[in-house]
């Protein structure tokens, strides 16, 4: 019970569903949903409506804070590496990890450790 957390939707408590109605009569109120885990917004929101309520409320502040895109970004040889894996000869026991350049189509082998390392990349530019 100690790991329950609240939905971060600013209006969660205003949606009058039965599961939000809590407390004992005559003091029952609709309350923010509280659960051990959520499926939306990096596990912070009980549903898509609450996620979008938060986005609509805070999106301008967020963009101002973290910086807006003010010019086109470009996909180049330097920033187009993605990680992937495949199987050789339909041998589904053996994954082959690979970096693929989406511009040049070059493929370079990866170790499983490099594949799982979120900080490992061949990309050198934004
Ligand atoms: Zn909610």
């Amino acid at each position: 019970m100690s790991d329950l957390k609240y939905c971060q939707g600013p209006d969660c408590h205003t949606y009058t569903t039965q599961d939000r109605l809590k407390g004992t009569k005559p003091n029952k109120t609709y309350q923010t949903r509280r659960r051990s885990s959520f499926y939306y917004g990096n596990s912070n929101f009980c549903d898509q409506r609450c996620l979008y309520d938060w986005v609509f409320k805070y999106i301008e502040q967020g963009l101002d804070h973290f910086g807006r895109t003010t010019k086109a970004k470009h996909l180049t040889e330097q920033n187009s590496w993605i990680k992937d894996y495949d199987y050789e000869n339909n041998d589904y026991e053996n994954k082959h990890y690979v970096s693929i350049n989406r511009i040049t189509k070059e493929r370079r082998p990866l170790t499983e450790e490099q594949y799982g390392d979120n900080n490992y990349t061949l990309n050198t530019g934004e």
Side-chain angles (χ1 to χ4, degrees):
M1 288 295 281
S2 58
D3 281 353
L4 295 180
K5 57 185 184 178
Y6 289 102
C7 170
Q8 296 301 301
D11 299 326
C12 191
H13 63 291
T14 68
Y15 302 122
T16 55
T17 59
Q18 280 306 305
D19 71 297
R20 287 179 171 97
L21 191 57
K22 303 276 186 180
T24 50
K25 286 180 180 176
N27 299 315
K28 284 194 172 191
T29 55
Y30 291 101
Q31 301 177 16
T32 302
R33 277 180 171 155
R34 191 179 188 204
R35 304 222 176 111
S36 56
S37 69
F38 293 118
Y39 293 105
Y40 297 89
N42 206 22
S43 194
N44 287 300
F45 301 92
C46 70
D47 59 22
Q48 219 165 29
R49 178 166 57 179
C50 280
L51 168 59
Y52 280 105
D53 285 345
W54 190 93
V55 169
F56 288 129
K57 186 169 184 180
Y58 295 112
I59 192 166
E60 295 301 325
Q61 287 171 256
L63 288 170
D64 286 341
H65 180 78
F66 295 107
R68 291 171 186 271
T69 299
T70 56
K71 60 184 192 228
K73 297 176 181 178
H74 299 265
L75 188 66
T76 66
E77 288 180 34
Q78 286 71 42
N79 69 5
S80 63
W81 290 97
I82 58 168
K83 294 177 182 178
D84 200 358
Y85 61 84
D86 53 26
Y87 302 97
E88 218 162 83
N89 304 320
N90 294 329
D91 173 10
Y92 294 109
E93 299 296 311
N94 283 308
K95 273 186 184 174
H96 296 267
Y97 299 97
V98 63
S99 275
I100 302 169
N101 190 297
R102 284 169 288 175
I103 299 297
T104 64
K105 309 303 179 198
E106 182 184 348
R107 299 168 68 93
R108 293 185 193 170
L110 281 176
T111 66
E112 185 172 357
E113 189 177 29
Q114 289 168 333
Y115 179 84
D117 181 353
N118 288 332
N119 294 317
Y120 182 85
T121 180
L122 294 177
N123 291 324
T124 57
E126 198 175 290

